[in-house]
Amino acid sequence: MVKNIILLLLFFPAYLCAQINTERVMTIARNALYFEDYVLSIQYFNQVINAKPYLYEPYFFRGLAKINLEDYQGAEADCSAAIERNPFVVGAYQIRGLARIKQSKFEGAISDYKTALQYEPENITLWHNLSLCHIQKGDYDAAKKDLGNLLALSPKYTKAYLMRGEVLLKQKDTIQAYRDFDLAIEMDKYDPDAWTSRAILKLQQAKYTEAESDLNQAIHLNVKNAANYVNRALARFHQNNLRGAMSDYDLALDVDPNNFIGHYNRGLLRAQVGDDNRALEDFDFVIKMEPDNMMAIFNRGLLKYQTGDYKGAIKDYSTVINEHPNFMAGYYNRAEARRKIGDKNGAERDEFKILKMQLDRKNGLLSSNTNNDKSAGNKDENTDDKSKTRKKSDKNVSNYGKIVIADDSESDQKYNSYYRGKVQDRNVEVRMEPMYVLTYYEKMSEVKRNINYHKFIDNLNRSGALPKRLYITNDEAPLSEAQVKEHFAMIDTHTTEIVENPQDSRKRFSRAVDFYLVQDFENSIEDLTQAILNDKTFFPAYFMRALVRYKQLEYLKAEGQNTANVSQGKAAMVAAIDYDVVKNDLDNVIALAPDFVYAYYNRGNLLSVLKDYRSAIIDYSKAIDLNKDFAEAYFNRGLTYIFLGNNKKGIADLSKAGELGIVSAYNIIKRFTEVPE
C-alpha cells in the first residue's frame, strides 16, 4: 500500500494541492488555453491562484479564457485582479477593455486603451478598439484623431480607412468618405467590407446601378453575409427588378432564416407579382417574430382577402383598427371584406366611419397623417425613391406597403464584429485543416457526416482495452467540467493498473490519452514512449506521440515568438530537430500500417509547416489514393498547390473539398479567383 502511494506521488506532482508545481500547471493551463479548451484551462488556473494568489498571470489568462466563453463580467474582474498585482501588463488592459465594450462600458474601455497605449504607443489593436469606442460614444472628432494616429503607424491598414469613412458619413462628409472607401478598395480589393461600405453610400445617394455593382463584388468575396443580399435587393427594387430583388431575399434567408427585413420585403414583392400564398407565409413568419407588428398584420389581412379568407382578413383588419382607430384604409378594406361575407350592416358602419373621418379632416378636426384614403389599400401614388421605403422603426401604419430598410442603429451594430482581441492572435483566414488525432470526443458537424474508420482501431475498440470508444478525428470537442473530472479520476485508475502490470502497452496508451485530454503533454509523451518500448508494433502509440509532440511544438513556437532569450538560429535548429522526431514517428506508423491514411495526411501537414510543399503534395496524394473522399486531404493539397503558385490545381482541389463538405473552401476559392469586373 505504501509503495503504491509513493508511486502515485511520483506520477502526479502537478496535481497535489499542498505542494503544487505552479510553473508546470501554468504551462499545462496555457496549453489548454492555446488549443481553445477554455473550461479545462480555467480549472488549472484556479489551482495556481489557490496556491499563489499573488501572481498576476493566472488571473490574466483566466480572464482571457472567460472572455472566450462570453463571461465578460468575470473576465473584467480577473483582468482587474491581474492589474492590481502588476499594473504594467498591456494585455490585461486590452482584454479588460474588450470585456467592458461587451458590457457597453465604453468610458471604462477608453480609459483602459489609453493606459495601455502609454506602455505600447504603436499597438495597432489598441488604436483600433479605442477608435471604435469613440465612434460608439458619438465622439467623432476623437475617433478621427485616433484613426489618424493608427494610419500613421500602419498606412495600409484598410479597416482604418473603412472606419474613418463611416465617421465621415456621420459628419455628412460624403466626398471624403468616398475617398476613404476608394482607398480601402485600392489597397485590398479582396476585402468584402470595403465593397459593402462603398455600396451602402451609393445606395444612400440613389446610385442604384453602381451600388449593385459594388454589392456583386462583396457577395462574390463573402457569400455568407445576409445583409449584402438585402442591400442588393434594395438596389434592384429601385431599378424595378422585382424578380432579382426577390431572388436576393431568397439568398439572404438561406444565410439568415430569421432575417426580419428579408421576410417582410419578400412578402411585399411576392404580393406585387401575385404570389399571394407564399407572401402569406412570409407575413406569418414576420408576425410570429413580432406579434404586435400592425403593418405586417394589415398586409396579411390584404393577402387573406386576395386568397378568399374574408373572415381571416376581417380579423386582421380589426386588430389593426383597434390599435389605430383613425386608420381609414383599415375601415375601407374591412367594409369590402364584410360585404363579401354578407355582413351588410357591418360594412355600412365601416363606410359611415370613413365618411365621418373625411368630414372631420375637411373641417380640420382630424390630422391628415392619421388616415388613408382608398388608394392606401393599393399602390402608393407617390413614386419618388424616398416614398418607396421606410425605416424599420417607423410605426406609421399608413406606410405598411413600403419596403423596409435597416435603422441607423442597426447598421451601427457591425462595429461589434470589428473589435479585435477576443481570441489569441492567430491568422485564421487561410489555414490548413488540422491534424488527425485519436480521442474519445468529436464535434458533430451539420455538413460532414462521414465516419473515419480503420480496422485496427475498430478492433481495439471492440477488445475492451480502452474505457471509451476511440474516434479518429481532426475536429476535437473540448471537455466539459464533468469530463475533466472524469479523466483525472481515470488517470488514477490507470495508474493503479499500470503499477500492477507495467508492461501493458494498452494501459499505458489509455492513460496517455487521458493525459492528452487534460492537456498534460509531457506525461502523455512519457506514457506513449513506454507503450512503444513495451510493444514496438503498436502503431497508435507512434501516431499519438507524433501528434502530441507536434501540438507541444506548436504551442512552444507561439510562446517563443514573444521571447527574445533564444537566438533565431538556435531556435530554428532546435525546431528542425524536434520536427524530425515527429516525422520519424509518422514514418514508423506508415511502415507498420501502410493503409492508415491519416498518417500520410498528418505527415503532409508537417511537411507543409516545414515548407517542403512538393513532398507534402506527395503525401496528400497518397492519402487521396487510399480514400477518394478524403475532404481534408483535398483541401490541404489545394492550399499547398496555391502556395506553390499553381492556382488552377489548387482551386480544383478546393472545389472538391467544398463538394465533400468543407464549406470554407468556397470562400478561399473566391479569394484566389480574380474578382470579375
Side-chain angles (χ1 to χ4, degrees), residues 45 49 61 70 95 154 196 370 387 398 450 531 537 567 631 667:
F45 292 131
I49 288 169
F61 288 111
E70 300 185 13
I95 299 304
S154 181
T196 298
T370 62
S387 73
S398 300
N450 58 307
T537 67
S567 69
N667 282 337

Side-chain angles (χ1 to χ4, degrees), residues 138 191 196 232 338 359 384 469 474 499 563 647 677:
D191 184 352
T196 298
R232 190 172 68 179
R338 281 175 165 173
L359 289 171
D384 66 80
R469 181 186 173 189
N474 74 334
V499 168
T563 304
N647 282 21
E677 296 297 334

Side-chain angles (χ1 to χ4, degrees), residues 254-287:
D254 284 342
V255 175
D256 178 11
N258 295 320
N259 190 290
F260 173 91
I261 292 176
H263 281 288
Y264 191 99
N265 290 350
R266 188 174 69 176
L268 286 179
L269 296 183
R270 282 174 166 175
Q272 285 190 39
V273 299
D275 192 355
D276 296 331
N277 287 316
R278 293 208 299 165
L280 264 172
E281 291 175 6
D282 276 327
F283 283 110
D284 281 338
F285 191 93
V286 169
I287 293 164

Side-chain angles (χ1 to χ4, degrees), residues 3-75:
K3 182 181 177 182
N4 286 355
I5 293 173
I6 292 171
L7 284 168
L8 282 170
L9 293 175
L10 290 172
F11 277 121
F12 302 106
Y15 307 112
L16 300 177
C17 295
Q19 296 181 356
I20 182 173
N21 183 338
T22 52
E23 185 176 346
R24 176 159 164 67
V25 176
M26 274 295 294
T27 298
I28 298 171
R30 293 182 67 177
N31 261 343
L33 179 63
Y34 180 80
F35 291 108
E36 301 179 6
D37 204 340
Y38 304 119
V39 173
L40 176 61
S41 72
I42 288 172
Q43 304 275 318
Y44 285 119
F45 292 131
N46 289 344
Q47 289 184 38
V48 180
I49 288 169
N50 289 334
K52 295 184 178 179
Y54 51 84
L55 296 176
Y56 83 88
E57 292 101 327
Y59 287 101
F60 166 65
F61 288 111
R62 189 173 71 176
L64 183 56
K66 285 180 178 178
I67 206 167
N68 280 283
L69 293 170
E70 300 185 13
D71 177 7
Y72 304 123
Q73 188 173 336

Side-chain angles (χ1 to χ4, degrees), residues 255-435:
V255 175
D256 178 11
N258 295 320
N259 190 290
F260 173 91
I261 292 176
H263 281 288
Y264 191 99
N265 290 350
R266 188 174 69 176
L268 286 179
L269 296 183
R270 282 174 166 175
Q272 285 190 39
V273 299
D275 192 355
D276 296 331
N277 287 316
R278 293 208 299 165
L280 264 172
E281 291 175 6
D282 276 327
F283 283 110
D284 281 338
F285 191 93
V286 169
I287 293 164
K288 186 177 179 181
M289 292 175 70
E290 294 187 5
D292 297 328
N293 191 307
M294 293 299 122
M295 284 179 269
I297 292 171
F298 188 73
N299 275 305
R300 188 175 68 178
L302 294 174
L303 288 162
K304 285 180 176 178
Y305 179 88
Q306 291 293 335
T307 56
D309 181 7
Y310 303 121
K311 289 184 178 180
I314 291 167
K315 183 179 178 182
D316 279 345
Y317 296 147
S318 298
T319 299
V320 177
I321 289 168
N322 289 338
E323 188 73 21
H324 299 279
N326 294 322
F327 182 45
M328 191 182 297
Y331 293 102
Y332 174 82
N333 284 284
R334 189 170 69 177
E336 282 194 340
R338 281 175 165 173
R339 287 194 182 280
K340 288 289 186 180
I341 63 170
D343 182 6
K344 182 179 178 182
N345 290 334
E348 288 177 350
R349 285 197 301 273
D350 282 340
E351 288 163 351
F352 179 76
K353 179 69 175 177
I354 293 169
L355 180 61
K356 185 176 183 302
M357 289 171 68
Q358 289 173 335
L359 289 171
D360 287 344
R361 184 173 66 174
K362 186 176 181 180
N363 294 326
L365 300 175
L366 187 68
S367 172
S368 61
N369 63 5
T370 62
N371 59 69
N372 246 343
D373 57 16
K374 181 177 177 179
S375 67
N378 302 306
K379 187 177 179 181
D380 197 322
E381 291 179 357
N382 192 345
T383 57
D384 66 80
D385 287 332
K386 288 187 178 179
S387 73
K388 293 181 180 181
T389 61
R390 66 172 178 87
K391 296 283 189 181
K392 185 183 173 186
S393 58
D394 182 357
K395 300 301 180 186
N396 184 352
V397 71
S398 300
N399 292 329
Y400 65 87
K402 294 183 178 181
I403 290 289
V404 180
I405 60 175
D407 295 325
D408 292 337
S409 60
E410 285 192 22
S411 62
D412 285 347
Q413 289 176 3
K414 67 184 172 184
Y415 295 131
N416 292 338
S417 64
Y418 278 0
Y419 290 110
R420 300 186 62 194
K422 179 179 177 183
V423 295
Q424 291 153 286
D425 292 332
R426 283 195 280 175
N427 181 10
V428 296
E429 288 186 4
V430 179
R431 64 177 179 186
M432 296 281 193
E433 283 290 298
M435 287 195 176

Side-chain angles (χ1 to χ4, degrees), residues 463-504:
S463 72
L466 304 177
K468 293 174 177 285
R469 181 186 173 189
L470 204 60
Y471 291 93
I472 309 169
T473 181
N474 74 334
D475 196 9
E476 299 174 78
L479 273 62
S480 67
E481 187 173 347
Q483 289 167 336
V484 170
K485 291 178 180 177
E486 180 186 3
H487 283 285
F488 279 129
M490 287 168 67
I491 288 170
D492 291 339
T493 302
H494 291 317
T495 300
T496 302
E497 294 170 344
I498 289 168
V499 168
E500 294 172 355
N501 185 5
Q503 302 304 313
D504 190 333

